[in-house]
Amino acid sequence: MKYSFLLCLLSVVLMGCSSTGTVNADTLKYSSWQFISDDMNVKNNPIRIEFLDAFRVNGFAGCNRFFGQAEIKDGQLFVSNIGMTRKLCDAATNEREDAFLNMLQIGAPMQYTQSELILSSDLEWHFKLVEGRFD
């Protein structure tokens, strides 16, 4: 009886570990993620981020396309050397885009499952795995 209880407990612990794994460059390489939101303005111009070879990133921040060099340190995603197009959009879109890109530059704690990526700052940014050019 003790052994079956321990086996059950061990299997529950292992299932919990597999649902939110450690995030590293190999985990995210060649994946595409799209921001999840109920806001219609965001749905029409969804924020996307793709992780490329050599852990470069590119994406769409809601108004402008961006690119940079990603790095993961202590469970946080950092993107340096960010470059982007310079279109002007409405104030709400520009504000959301600035907040997103600023979060990437200063570092965002990450949580990861096979179908969801959560980046945290003042807000939690939830992304779902989507088909990208790699699929």
Side-chain angles (χ1 to χ4, degrees):
M1 181 72 170
K2 277 186 180 180
Y3 293 112
S4 41
F5 175 75
L6 288 175
L7 286 173
C8 288
L9 182 62
L10 181 62
S11 64
V12 168
V13 169
L14 291 176
M15 282 191 293
C17 291
S18 66
S19 65
T20 57
T22 302
V23 184
N24 60 43
D26 291 331
T27 306
L28 294 175
K29 192 186 304 187
Y30 304 123
S31 65
S32 300
W33 301 85
Q34 182 173 309
F35 181 58
I36 303 166
S37 177
D38 292 331
D39 184 341
M40 285 307 292
N41 290 329
V42 176
K43 282 185 175 182
N44 292 334
N45 294 309
I47 296 172
R48 288 181 63 118
I49 185 168
E50 294 183 325
F51 296 90
L52 310 171
D53 204 11
F55 214 43
R56 303 263 318 144
V57 296
N58 71 27
F60 180 72
C63 181
N64 290 286
R65 297 205 43 81
F66 71 94
F67 59 90
Q69 180 63 50
E71 180 180 14
I72 297 176
K73 280 192 230 175
D74 300 324
Q76 290 192 339
L77 174 66
F78 295 88
V79 179
S80 60
N81 301 322
I82 292 180
M84 60 189 290
T85 58
R86 296 286 181 188
K87 294 191 297 184
L88 182 63
C89 291
D90 63 273
T93 301
N94 285 335
E95 187 175 314
R96 185 175 48 256
E97 182 175 86
D98 288 344
F100 174 67
L101 294 173
N102 185 51
M103 174 190 63
L104 293 178
Q105 286 183 313
I106 64 173
M110 303 173 67
Q111 297 174 27
Y112 168 82
T113 66
Q114 288 186 338
S115 61
E116 186 176 30
L117 177 66
I118 302 170
L119 303 175
S120 300
S121 62
D122 295 338
L123 304 170
E124 282 195 342
W125 299 72
H126 291 255
F127 292 82
K128 66 179 179 178
L129 185 63
V130 293
E131 287 188 16
R133 70 174 105 182
F134 315 112
D135 300 320

